[in-house]
Amino acid sequence: MSMMEDDIKDFLKRIVWTVFIMFLWLTLTLGIGAYNDLMVPSPTVTIGNIIFYIWSAGSLATVIYLFVRIWKKKFPHG
């Protein structure tokens, strides 16, 4: 039997999922960009830089959509 109320569990679950998704997105994006030298264009902008920034913007939009879905449900107190 759990000692925690369902509202508290739901709230903490939302927080954990939000932090996990954001940390995963940041790790993947920064890892790919830094490892392949795509984050900062060296002398000129290459097609790799463009693809990386399009992918970053698209995946960020997906992450924001997930956050909206996670936090959309109302809490009983408000």
Side-chain angles (χ1 to χ4, degrees):
M1 182 182 244
S2 177
M3 302 289 275
M4 204 180 309
E5 293 185 26
D6 290 337
D7 296 338
I8 306 284
K9 273 186 182 177
D10 185 42
F11 183 67
L12 291 176
K13 191 187 308 183
R14 290 179 192 194
I15 291 173
V16 168
W17 273 107
T18 302
V19 169
F20 172 74
I21 291 171
M22 195 64 197
F23 181 73
L24 180 66
W25 179 80
L26 280 172
T27 303
L28 287 174
T29 303
L30 292 177
I32 291 169
Y35 183 75
N36 296 322
D37 292 328
L38 297 173
M39 291 175 63
V40 179
S42 303
T44 60
V45 176
T46 63
I47 191 73
N49 296 111
I50 295 169
I51 291 171
F52 171 73
Y53 282 110
I54 289 172
W55 177 81
S56 296
S59 62
L60 179 62
T62 304
V63 166
I64 291 171
Y65 172 74
L66 287 173
F67 289 166
V68 168
R69 287 202 50 184
I70 289 171
W71 290 96
K72 190 181 212 179
K73 188 176 109 178
K74 298 285 182 186
F75 287 107
H77 60 78

